[in-house]
Amino acid sequence: MLHIDYRDSRPIYEQIVDGFTRLAISAVLTPDTQLPSVRQLAIELSINPNTIQRAYTELEKRGVTYSIKGRGSFISADCDTLRQTRLAELQADITSLAHEARQLGATDTMLLHWMQVQHTKEGGQP
Amino acid sequence: MLHIDYRDSRPIYEQIVDGFTRLAISAVLTPDTQLPSVRQLAIELSINPNTIQRAYTELEKRGVTYSIKGRGSFISADCDTLRQTRLAELQADITSLAHEARQLGATDTMLLHWMQVQHTKEGGQP
DNA sequence: TATCTGTACTAACACATATAGTACAGATAG
DNA sequence: CTATCTGTACTATATGTGTTAGTACAGATA
């Protein structure tokens, strides 16, 4: 379900947080879906349970999940807000990168190509 | 000439490397321009000389600068290659972010707006 | 010679990451 | 009830990275 890259410079707990966040935002995991238990996921990923717990604590703090002692951790209901937040981040990042690319000589045509925008008149996808 | 943000999670030496790299790529610093000496920049930024030297070593390793013992460090001549490398990075990043944004519901119109592309017909900003 | 430059090296400290082990409280199936 | 699952809290330890501190040496130059 999750993919951890040990060569990645980002810490494991952060990769777990991002992974479940993406799954929740993209609706791959629907609200109230139960996450693997702290110990179970630790075994699956061969990672210390403390690291998993740190990720789960962060996920709950961010509102991606909710936890019930003795029962488990579950995907939150309001992922719409999270999606809007993520889209705002993406907008800021893309705008900044596009600005830098333009300063280095990138043209509109190049940028459109990079983003694979359907810039012809006839419409989008089937 | 450089701006260091201590609240930034990125290490200082990396900010210095990126700063001079940008100045070189964008031709704000022309080839053979002398950089501040290790000790001088350390004083200006109130940073340990070792940290500056680490940045300078990395800059030379990346081909952004060249160093001559006893004389100083200078901007390299071939910044065109660096610019192309950076543009390739930007392309990869923008493509990836645009893909994610699209999966979250972003439309072509939104993306074009974010990148402030001058569409052929509709004009500039309100 | 005096003073600038880059460079190399060791030592120490702070911090984040990750592991290891133990423990406690609530939920649930037997 | 007991057994076993769940989340949670806590201390301790090891490790890697970033940064500072200090010393030293070699080359360039006025």
Side-chain angles (χ1 to χ4, degrees), chain A residues 6-117:
Chain A
Y6 293 94
R7 297 167 304 181
D8 194 332
S9 63
R10 297 187 323 168
I12 298 173
Y13 80 92
E14 193 175 308
Q15 293 185 45
I16 296 174
V17 169
D18 280 18
F20 278 117
T21 301
R22 284 171 183 256
L23 291 173
I25 287 181
S26 61
V28 173
L29 293 182
T30 54
D32 300 322
T33 300
Q34 183 165 8
L35 275 62
S37 78
V38 170
R39 294 168 179 82
Q40 180 61 34
L41 187 57
I43 293 174
E44 285 182 15
L45 300 179
S46 300
I47 291 173
N48 191 284
N50 290 330
T51 304
I52 307 293
Q53 193 208 332
R54 179 167 182 180
Y56 277 26
T57 301
E58 184 64 25
L59 280 167
E60 186 174 19
K61 179 182 164 191
R62 295 190 190 180
V64 180
T65 64
Y66 63 94
S67 297
I68 305 177
K69 191 185 288 185
R71 296 217 33 218
S73 296
F74 308 86
I75 300 292
S76 279
D78 59 339
C79 292
D80 241 28
T81 306
L82 297 172
R83 185 180 296 113
Q84 294 308 316
T85 302
R86 181 58 183 152
L87 275 172
E89 286 178 7
L90 290 169
Q91 172 177 4
D93 290 351
I94 288 177
T95 300
S96 173
L97 293 178
H99 179 72
E100 182 182 349
R102 225 181 285 274
Q103 283 189 323
L104 296 187
T107 62
D108 279 357
T109 306
M110 291 169 63
L111 292 175
L112 291 178
H113 238 138
W114 294 355
M115 308 209 327
Q116 299 166 355
V117 167

Side-chain angles (χ1 to χ4, degrees), chain B residues 73-86:
Chain B
S73 297
F74 309 86
I75 299 291
S76 280
D78 59 341
C79 293
D80 241 27
T81 306
L82 297 172
R83 184 180 298 112
Q84 295 307 317
T85 302
R86 180 59 182 153

